Amino acid sequence: MTYPIEGSCQCGGVKYRLLKEPMMVVACHCKECQKLSTSAFSITAMVNASDVEFEGEMAEWSRLADSGNTSAAKFCPTCGNRIYHFNPAEPDKIKLKPSNLSDTSIIKPAAHVWVSEKQDWFTIPEGVKVFDKQP
């Protein structure tokens, strides 16, 4: 894989460059991520904030997570695509939504979290870490 990798929202109003390989890619099966993705799970690439360059206006939304932490999200105000999530208490780490990268070959989840809420029809691949809730 060659970095940087370009990414953007659906309308192109928000663009970004991922400069380095993610620390980890995770699939989250919690009910909130199912709502977010309108699918069985949401994909997240854990990256350092300094490893991504953003361009364009983003709106913000947040909610209280089960952990008691704030789960905040940045998204395109025009098309609504989520760009990343973050905990305001840890601004140096972000949870990039890598499905909007131009090269999605990095999307190979090393772990599946919140499998206690996963859809029954989805089978988790062999050889990945599995957590009932948030590790």
Side-chain angles (χ1 to χ4, degrees):
M1 174 61 55
T2 303
Y3 290 86
I5 303 174
E6 310 285 327
S8 71
C9 63
Q10 284 183 294
C11 73
V14 176
K15 297 178 181 170
Y16 66 91
R17 292 168 33 113
L18 178 59
L19 306 175
K20 294 182 181 175
E21 181 178 1
M23 294 175 274
M24 178 183 276
V25 176
V26 176
C28 182
H29 296 264
C30 77
K31 295 296 182 193
E32 292 299 321
C33 280
Q34 290 178 35
K35 288 179 185 180
L36 163 68
S37 66
T38 68
S39 187
F41 53 86
S42 178
I43 302 291
T44 298
M46 312 298 280
V47 300
N48 289 314
S50 60
D51 293 339
V52 188
E53 297 173 342
F54 295 102
E55 178 184 318
E57 180 185 343
M58 288 188 270
E60 187 174 315
W61 176 81
S62 65
R63 68 175 176 84
L64 191 61
D66 289 341
S67 65
N69 294 327
T70 298
S71 178
K74 293 281 192 173
F75 61 94
C76 174
T78 303
C79 69
N81 265 160
R82 292 279 175 100
I83 305 300
Y84 68 92
H85 288 199
F86 67 102
N87 176 348
E90 298 178 336
D92 57 327
K93 305 276 187 230
I94 64 173
K95 301 165 189 170
L96 191 68
K97 306 315 277 177
S99 297
N100 49 30
L101 286 167
S102 59
D103 181 349
T104 56
S105 64
I106 68 162
I107 302 177
K108 295 178 182 136
H112 286 250
V113 299
W114 282 96
V115 297
S116 60
E117 297 184 2
K118 86 171 189 61
Q119 294 292 316
D120 290 338
W121 57 265
F122 182 77
T123 303
I124 294 174
E126 295 282 327
V128 296
K129 294 178 186 173
V130 175
F131 300 92
D132 278 346
K133 296 192 183 257
Q134 193 69 28

